[in-house]
């Protein structure tokens, strides 16, 4: 048998923390308004911030006390009734079809490298025996050089890493005298 909660509900600690934050914030705010100190603005802002932070505890208390009957939770958490009549066959088939499609898409991303943000090379390296070998992750050294404003070479730097050619245009920064 589940315990019966009265008055404040299940999350009593969140309720009391919210009340404490409200009281503390109000006290600090009122001290900043009515007491003649040179840092009154700090107290006013701090009190308002503490009152604002009490909203977090109020939301926790409120959401912790929401009661949802198990009949409404059935479909949301996957608890399906067995005696739903003619729709159980159709809905079960649709659920299985949806699961297969989504797992197929997910697995195709895993096989193809996925949308990971890293550039992938379309070509594989050939080993000495002629077998195709996919490139392994390796460390790439990048050198940077400063370019003076007098150099105006419109050429591109070319780097070849693991059978991938990456071209990067040279850029320079103009500095105006101040």
């Amino acid at each position: 048998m589940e315990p019966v909660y009265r008055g404040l509900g299940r999350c009593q600690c969140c309720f009391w923390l919210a009340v404490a934050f409200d009281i503390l914030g109000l006290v600090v705010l009122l001290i900043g308004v009515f007491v003649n100190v040179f840092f009154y603005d700090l107290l006013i802002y701090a009190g308002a911030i503490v009152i604002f932070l009490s909203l977090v505890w109020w939301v926790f208390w409120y959401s912790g006390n929401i009661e949802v009957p198990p009949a409404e939770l059935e479909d949301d958490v996957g608890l399906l009734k067995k005696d739903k009549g003619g729709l159980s066959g159709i809905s079960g088939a649709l659920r299985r079809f949806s699961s297969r499609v989504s797992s197929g898409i997910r697995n195709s991303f895993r096989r193809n490298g996925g949308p990971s943000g890293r550039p992938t090379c379309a070509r594989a390296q050939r080993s000495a025996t002629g077998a195709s070998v996919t490139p392994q992750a390796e460390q790439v050294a990048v050198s940077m050089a400063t370019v003076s404003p007098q150099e105006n070479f419109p050429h591109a730097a070319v780097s070849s890493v693991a059978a991938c050619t990456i071209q990067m245009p040279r850029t320079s920064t103009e500095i105006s005298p101040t």
Side-chain angles (χ1 to χ4, degrees):
M1 177 180 214
E2 291 187 32
V4 176
Y5 296 102
R6 298 177 206 229
L8 298 178
R10 282 182 277 236
C11 303
Q12 293 177 6
C13 66
C14 290
F15 175 83
W16 290 116
L17 278 170
V19 169
F21 270 55
D22 280 337
I23 291 171
L24 178 70
L26 186 64
V27 166
V28 170
L29 184 113
L30 292 176
I31 288 174
V33 170
F34 293 114
V35 175
N36 190 11
V37 292
F38 68 94
F39 55 92
Y40 67 93
D41 54 345
L42 173 73
L43 294 174
I44 291 172
Y45 287 129
I49 290 171
V50 171
I51 291 172
F52 176 74
L53 290 177
S54 77
L55 289 174
V56 173
W57 297 112
W58 285 116
V59 168
F60 284 169
W61 174 74
Y62 179 77
S63 61
N65 284 310
I66 294 175
E67 292 188 20
V68 180
E72 290 183 27
L73 282 177
E74 284 177 353
D75 194 36
D76 293 340
V77 295
L79 300 173
L80 298 175
K81 285 186 178 177
K82 302 294 181 197
D83 58 344
K84 282 199 175 184
L87 290 178
S88 66
I90 295 172
S91 64
L94 288 175
R95 192 176 299 269
R96 284 191 302 273
F97 176 72
S98 171
S99 176
R100 285 181 189 154
V101 169
S102 63
S103 65
I105 291 171
R106 192 177 322 118
N107 290 337
S108 71
F109 280 133
R110 289 182 185 150
R111 278 193 303 265
N112 296 334
S116 61
R118 301 186 291 177
T120 57
C121 296
R123 294 180 286 169
Q125 293 179 339
R126 297 274 178 191
S127 67
T129 61
S132 177
V133 177
T134 58
Q136 298 294 324
E138 58 186 57
Q139 189 173 5
V140 177
V142 176
S143 62
M144 298 177 69
T146 57
V147 178
S148 63
Q150 291 82 17
E151 290 184 59
N152 287 329
F153 299 112
H155 65 280
V158 177
S159 173
S160 177
V161 176
C164 291
T165 303
I166 302 169
Q167 293 189 353
M168 296 174 31
R170 296 244 348 206
T171 59
S172 63
T173 305
E174 294 183 19
I175 301 173
S176 61
T178 55

